[in-house]
Structure formats: C-alpha cells, structure tokens
Amino acid sequence: MTSSRVNRHQTRELDVQLLREGVVESSHTAHVVVCDVRGRNLSVAGNPELATFIRSALKPFQALAVTAAGAMERYNLNDQDLAIMCGSHQGTIEQVRQVFHILWQSDLDSTALRCPTPAGKKSPLEHNCSGKHAGMLAVSHQQNWPIETYLDRNHPVQKLILSRMAELLGMPADEFIMAHDDCGAPTYFMQLRQMATLFAMLSSGDNLEMERIIRAMTSHPALVGGPDAFDTKLMELTDGELVSKSGAEGIQCIGKVGDGLGLAIKVMDGSKRAKYATAIFTLKQMGWILPAVADTLAETYMQIGHFKRLDVVGELPLIY
C-alpha cells in the first residue's frame, strides 16, 4: 500500500469552536484525512499518521468475516441482518428483533452473547454492539469453532477478521496493536490514513463482499444507528451516495460510494459533537454533500439550543 509521510503532508488541524451568542466558549481539535484505495492522502487537516483506536468504525470490516465465511448463505441471513452487524444501534424494538433474528437463524440463543447488558436494560440484545457479536457467533457456529470464547484475540473468528483487515492494508497481521473495546470485542490501533483507506476500499465497488455491506448499510440506515443518529441521518439524506460509521472517542469514518474515496476524522478530546461538526464541514468542503443537506445536518448537529452553535475553523487543502 502506498503511504504518504507526515513531514510532507501534515497541515494545521481544524478547530471546532462552541460559540455562545457569537463568543467562543470552548474548542476542540480535529484531525482529518481523505484517502483513495491506494492509501494516498488526497486532502489533510492535521496529521494523517496520527494513530488511535478505530473503535466501532471497524464494524463493517468485522462483518466481512460473515460474508467471507459463507454464514449469510448457510443461515439464510439478509441485508437487514448485515446492516445491524455493522451498526451501533440504540436498542429499539426493531433493532433488537433484528439481532435476535441473526441468532435464531443461526440456531443460537441470546445467552451466547458476551456483550454486557446495558444499565437499566434486560438483555445483552439491547447493547449497541449486539449485532456485531451476533455475526461473530454465527460464523463461529457455522465453522464449529468454540462459542464461549469468541471474543478472545486468538479465537479463529478474531483471527479471520484481523487477516482480512491486514490483507486490505497490506500489513502483517502481527503488526497490529489490539485492545478490547468496551463491549469486549477486539479493536485495533491504526493510523488515521489507514482508516480512511479502509473506507475508500469499502466504498470502491471493487469487491463483491464489501459491496454487499455497503448496500446493506445504505439501504437500511435505521439499523446502523437509529433515530437522530448521525450515521443514519447522513445516509438517509445522501440516498446511498455515502456510507458512514462512527466510533467512540471522536472517531468518524465515511466512504464516497462508487468513487473509492474514504474520510477519517479524529477529535482529540473524544467529543461526539465536534466530530459531527467536523464531518459536516469536511463533506461540504469536499463537495460530497449538497448545501441543502449540509444545512439540514447543521440544524441538528451544529445548532445547540437557542444560544449556542458549533463552528469549524480551518482549511482542508488538496495535496495530491
């Protein structure tokens, strides 16, 4: 994979400001990079080689294990099932039923889930990562791998996920740094440009398995997030032109479907509001969304009550 060096391509970060009646009250620092499928940095604000955990933005690539292993066909799973596997859902009735459907089709019980039961909830099915876990369980059951230990880093399903990601990025699997996400599943430490490259590949249309994931996510965006979720709203408003997946601690990744371009954002203090503002600003600057779509998103994610709003200061220059 062709890489771009930080000393050549690092530029000033974006500054996300909270304005109270026009006066700056607080600010957040955001790093942004846009890459193509070859890993070339096309546009940068900040450090494209900044390394951090990809968190839940990894989910579409964890779902590749399901499509690659043939579990979709074996258990007659559908695009809605695939969408919830890629999602960070809100535990709505529709979403919980979809996760249950994956387990039911795979002849598994919800007690097999190793994600925690959220506070105030009754079942791990309601955890926002339960779809991803159900997918891992389906593959494990199909392949006759141990069910109880599917979250262990050395479990075959986790090795399968890592091998697919390593293959896409052209790196040895043993070079990735792993840590457990809050749900218990592995997540990986990687450069921001690598995240953008993964989403460029995901959205390129060059791979049938990834194309199916894109179709599932963009056709069923309500299963990827939920009511008022940024990922859901963005995919609904762009009608399949963009695929979006957020991650905790200020991670946001977006792919431009059919063009093989990927965008990755990291807000250094982990702010959710700042990453959404940065995404809207960047998408508008890059011409990936229409002004009317940007205005609609800004009303929800940048206008905070009557007296406060978010503003993004900086530039995202083209460098390739």
Side-chain angles (χ1 to χ4, degrees):
M1 181 182 67
T2 302
S3 64
S4 302
R5 307 312 304 168
V6 63
N7 59 359
R8 177 184 171 195
H9 286 157
Q10 183 168 352
T11 61
R12 188 176 180 85
E13 305 92 341
L14 297 181
D15 186 30
V16 185
Q17 300 176 343
L18 177 69
L19 305 179
R20 183 178 294 276
E21 296 186 351
V23 179
V24 177
E25 183 172 12
S26 59
S27 64
H28 313 271
T29 299
H31 296 258
V32 182
V33 61
V34 177
C35 291
D36 64 11
V37 294
R38 293 174 57 187
R40 295 177 297 187
N41 299 337
L42 305 182
S43 192
V44 171
N47 181 2
E49 297 191 359
L50 173 73
T52 187
F53 288 104
I54 189 171
R55 301 298 299 271
S56 284
L58 182 63
K59 286 178 178 176
F61 305 95
Q62 291 167 314
L64 278 175
V66 183
T67 58
M72 297 290 294
E73 293 75 20
R74 169 73 177 276
Y75 296 124
N76 196 26
L77 301 177
N78 56 39
D79 280 358
Q80 291 96 318
D81 297 317
L82 195 54
I84 200 75
M85 291 178 202
C86 299
S88 296
H89 65 79
Q90 298 173 350
T92 66
I93 292 175
E94 176 192 12
Q95 292 166 336
V96 169
R97 284 176 176 168
Q98 200 66 55
V99 178
F100 181 80
H101 181 262
I102 298 170
L103 297 173
W104 178 266
Q105 291 293 109
S106 306
D107 197 25
L108 292 163
D109 189 82
S110 63
T111 56
L113 291 168
R114 293 292 178 261
C115 52
T117 299
K121 304 295 184 179
K122 298 179 180 179
S123 168
L125 287 166
E126 298 174 89
H127 191 279
N128 67 347
C129 295
S130 62
K132 171 182 73 176
H133 285 248
M136 294 174 180
L137 282 166
V139 174
S140 298
H141 190 50
Q142 177 216 3
Q143 298 291 327
N144 293 315
W145 293 334
I147 295 298
E148 296 79 8
T149 57
Y150 74 92
L151 293 181
D152 291 356
R153 69 176 69 195
N154 292 319
H155 189 280
V157 74
Q158 302 303 336
K159 288 185 175 181
L160 175 59
I161 291 167
L162 178 57
S163 69
R164 295 306 303 270
M165 185 175 66
E167 180 184 352
L168 288 171
L169 291 175
M171 287 179 58
D174 59 6
E175 289 189 9
F176 284 90
I177 298 173
M178 189 281 282
H180 287 100
D181 212 322
D182 293 348
C183 68
T187 189
Y188 294 94
F189 193 74
M190 65 180 70
Q191 294 176 353
L192 203 60
R193 67 176 183 85
Q194 292 175 317
M195 300 181 202
T197 301
L198 285 174
F199 273 77
M201 292 177 172
L202 179 68
S203 60
S204 68
D206 294 336
N207 179 285
L208 290 177
E209 294 173 5
M210 290 193 283
E211 188 175 8
R212 184 170 187 181
I213 288 172
I214 289 289
R215 184 176 70 243
M217 294 177 69
T218 56
S219 298
H220 307 284
L223 294 173
V224 177
D228 298 323
F230 180 82
D231 292 330
T232 297
K233 186 67 68 175
L234 177 61
M235 288 189 285
E236 287 176 343
L237 289 171
T238 56
D239 196 26
E241 294 182 359
L242 298 179
V243 62
S244 180
K245 187 67 196 76
S246 63
E249 297 301 323
I251 292 291
Q252 184 69 46
C253 295
I254 299 167
K256 196 169 191 294
V257 178
D259 288 354
L261 299 175
L263 161 67
I265 294 166
K266 169 65 177 181
V267 176
M268 292 307 297
D269 64 0
S271 168
K272 183 182 293 187
R273 69 185 186 188
K275 73 178 180 181
Y276 297 152
T278 301
I280 296 165
F281 172 84
T282 303
L283 293 171
K284 186 176 181 180
Q285 273 216 346
M286 296 293 295
W288 290 14
I289 56 175
L290 297 171
V293 171
D295 291 344
T296 299
L297 291 169
E299 287 177 9
T300 301
Y301 302 103
M302 296 181 72
Q303 187 67 43
I304 307 173
H306 296 294
F307 308 112
K308 298 181 293 182
R309 65 178 177 87
L310 293 168
D311 189 31
V312 181
V313 179
E315 297 181 351
L316 195 72
L318 294 171
I319 59 174
Y320 193 87

